[in-house]
Amino acid sequence: MRQIFLLILLFIVGQWLVKAVRRADARTQRTGGATGPTGATGDAGNARTTGANSAGAGATRAAPQLAEPMIRCVECGVHAPKSDSVVVAGQAFCCAEHAHRHAARPTGREAR
Ligand SMILES: [Zn+2]
């Protein structure tokens, strides 16, 4: 009976160790890219991030390869990626056609 408890304990400790190692690995990779050779895996990180360093470490940390921000078209309500959107007078549209349509047809609420 006691051996079962020991096995369970070993299993939990093993899982915790794997998790801790993975977390430490991810941290060294992140800090290695931003600050330079700090960890043991600094060589691999440097080789990969030398090109990205010129782009700016702060920018990569602020936007870690997230999905593109989506905007909502004022005219039709469709959500479109920001790069494909057209912004006119602070209002975002999914395409230029909708921007023109919205400008040509001002609603009563907008006119006021
Ligand atoms: Zn639209």
Side-chain angles (χ1 to χ4, degrees):
M1 193 63 183
R2 210 169 159 187
Q3 284 178 340
I4 292 171
F5 279 124
L6 267 174
L7 273 175
I8 291 170
L9 197 70
L10 270 174
F11 180 75
I12 291 170
V13 169
Q15 291 278 312
W16 179 81
L17 270 175
V18 166
K19 222 179 275 180
V21 165
R22 273 191 198 154
R23 209 176 301 158
D25 201 33
R27 201 180 300 159
T28 48
Q29 271 183 6
R30 209 178 302 157
T31 52
T35 59
T38 51
T41 58
D43 286 343
N46 273 340
R48 209 185 314 146
T49 53
T50 38
N53 273 342
S54 61
T60 51
R61 208 202 309 164
Q65 297 202 342
L66 280 175
E68 208 175 345
M70 304 289 277
I71 56 95
R72 188 176 176 277
C73 178
V74 178
E75 179 70 18
C76 66
V78 159
H79 285 80
K82 205 172 182 182
S83 66
D84 290 346
S85 68
V86 179
V87 178
V88 177
Q91 290 178 310
F93 302 93
C94 65
C95 56
E97 191 194 333
H98 282 185
H100 286 308
R101 202 198 291 173
H102 191 78
R105 179 181 55 78
T107 58
R109 194 179 47 186
E110 298 269 333
R112 245 173 255 165

